[in-house]
Amino acid sequence: MKAILYIGHGTRSKEGAEEAKSFIHRVMERINVEIQEVCFLELTKPGIEEGFLHCVERGATEITVVPLFLLAAGHIKEDIPQALSSLIERYPTINVKIRDPFGVQGKILDGIAEMVKETVTDLTPKDSILIVGRGSSDKSIHTAFADIARGISKRLGIENIQVCYLAATEPRLPEGLETISKNATGKIIVIPYLLFSGLLLKEVDQMVSMKRKLGQQIIHTGQLSKHRVIEDIITERATEGA
């Protein structure tokens, strides 16, 4: 019997955890697979082992693992495979397929462009965009965000697009906001490249609020899961090859 195991990052924020679970349950309703379970890599329960065992207890003979991660970094390359490896060894008769992270794809960039246009109805080429990534020590993250910035620039016709990060690499959010504020001639649109709300999004909210108090015109789009395209992509990942 087929099963789908969704793996989220996890958060200390109760609000963020509930939002992620609610989002995943909306995806589940779109997929005709009887066994579907939610789990998290860290900070939120249930953990990966518990989620996997729930699939097994419900009679799964084939488990498709769908990581809810935007880009391939340490969690995708190391942490999730490591967490699953002992379970795969323990249940050798169960066929486990691990899907790729979302990656940099046109559908997501189209969705972000739509979200910006819906949030900022008077968008002009003079406006500036600051993309805020979670951050990683994996060097490929910078290449990915360079591609993301180019894609969004092309879709929105805005040249001044910069990237900053919340952790693990530079430039960090305070520096990113400071730099783009100095060079901005119009509005500043902040795009948190985060799936769900949580402590990291609150950090972005606080920094944006501080800049607004200083008189800067900053518009904040919110998390990416607000857009339907993310649900569509997860549905495709989960049912691929079915």
Side-chain angles (χ1 to χ4, degrees):
M1 189 179 290
K2 292 184 178 180
I4 301 172
L5 180 62
Y6 304 89
I7 302 180
H9 184 282
T11 174
R12 290 187 178 89
S13 165
K14 185 177 179 180
E15 176 189 351
E18 289 306 314
E19 179 190 317
K21 289 175 183 177
S22 176
F23 173 86
I24 296 166
H25 281 105
R26 290 201 305 272
V27 172
M28 288 179 175
E29 291 173 0
R30 298 175 59 181
I31 298 174
N32 187 26
V33 172
E34 184 177 342
I35 304 172
Q36 299 187 68
E37 293 286 344
V38 182
C39 65
F40 296 90
L41 176 63
E42 58 186 11
L43 304 173
T44 303
K45 292 182 178 181
I48 291 177
E49 181 174 1
E50 187 176 351
F52 189 97
L53 293 179
H54 282 167
C55 292
V56 175
E57 288 163 5
R58 294 177 65 186
T61 55
E62 177 183 318
I63 300 176
T64 298
V65 177
V66 182
L68 305 183
F69 288 76
L70 290 164
L71 300 170
H75 289 318
I76 291 292
K77 295 176 181 177
E78 299 170 10
D79 298 340
I80 290 176
Q82 184 177 350
L84 289 169
S85 61
S86 62
L87 293 164
I88 292 170
E89 287 178 11
R90 198 188 314 175
Y91 298 94
T93 59
I94 296 178
N95 183 18
V96 179
K97 302 174 183 177
I98 305 175
R99 297 297 187 217
D100 293 328
F102 303 161
V104 181
Q105 53 176 293
K107 281 185 180 180
I108 293 180
L109 300 183
D110 290 343
I112 291 172
E114 286 178 19
M115 190 164 65
V116 170
K117 289 175 183 176
E118 288 168 2
T119 307
V120 188
T121 54
D122 57 345
L123 192 70
T124 75
K126 291 183 179 180
D127 294 333
S128 301
I129 290 177
L130 180 65
I131 302 170
V132 184
R134 176 183 292 271
S136 170
S137 56
D138 190 316
K139 293 181 180 179
S140 67
I141 288 295
H142 289 273
T143 302
F145 273 103
D147 292 339
I148 291 164
R150 280 192 293 270
I152 293 174
S153 175
K154 182 178 179 181
R155 285 163 174 78
L156 294 177
I158 292 177
E159 290 187 8
N160 188 23
I161 295 190
Q162 298 177 34
V163 178
C164 65
Y165 303 92
L166 290 162
T169 191
E170 304 290 340
R172 294 292 180 89
L173 175 59
E175 182 184 345
L177 274 172
E178 187 65 29
T179 301
I180 204 161
S181 297
K182 287 179 180 177
N183 299 326
T185 56
K187 299 179 291 297
I188 297 172
I189 298 99
V190 175
I191 305 173
Y193 207 79
L194 303 168
L195 271 180
F196 305 113
S197 61
L199 298 183
L200 291 178
L201 190 63
K202 284 183 180 179
E203 184 179 340
V204 178
D205 292 342
Q206 289 169 357
M207 292 294 296
V208 167
S209 295
M210 286 172 61
K211 279 292 181 184
R212 282 176 180 157
K213 287 177 182 177
L214 295 174
Q216 189 75 56
Q217 189 177 7
I218 302 181
I219 299 162
H220 183 198
T221 63
Q223 66 273 27
L224 301 189
S225 60
K226 288 166 57 177
H227 200 285
R228 173 82 174 190
V229 71
I230 302 296
E231 275 189 42
D232 294 341
I233 289 168
I234 294 171
T235 303
E236 288 172 10
R237 283 279 195 275
T239 57
E240 199 173 54

